[in-house]
Amino acid sequence: FETYLQEVESARQNGYAVDKGNFAKGVVTISAPILDGQRQPFMAISAVGFSTQLSDNGLMAVCEDLRDRCREVTLAISGGVG
């Protein structure tokens, strides 16, 4: 359970969460939140890929890009609050 709590805190700090094969072996899932005007999670966008197709650098690039796109959507739907 401690590992789970550490992963939740990491997701909070990074602005995205990564699952490397926990849900499905060989599958990587990345998710980032879109927040409402009160900074509460409203929805999320996820990307899914096969772990064999993503290098560590490629994974980091997708994580950061997804987080940044979600922040843009957050700003657009929340009237600039985000």
Side-chain angles (χ1 to χ4, degrees):
F1 190 72
E2 188 62 34
T3 300
Y4 170 75
L5 292 177
Q6 290 171 350
E7 290 174 353
V8 169
E9 184 57 32
S10 177
R12 192 173 286 140
Q13 290 176 4
N14 293 329
Y16 58 83
V18 179
D19 177 85
K20 291 182 179 180
N22 292 318
F23 180 70
K25 185 176 180 178
V27 176
V28 176
T29 304
I30 306 154
S31 296
I34 296 172
L35 307 177
D36 64 17
Q38 287 75 45
R39 298 198 40 77
Q40 296 299 309
F42 177 63
M43 61 181 89
I45 298 177
S46 299
V48 179
F50 296 108
S51 56
T52 57
Q53 296 177 326
L54 285 170
S55 65
D56 288 342
N57 289 338
L59 177 61
M60 184 59 63
V62 173
C63 290
E64 292 173 354
D65 193 49
L66 185 65
R67 177 197 59 211
D68 294 346
R69 299 300 75 81
C70 285
R71 286 180 178 165
E72 290 174 3
V73 174
T74 291
L75 289 172
I77 67 171
S78 68
V81 178

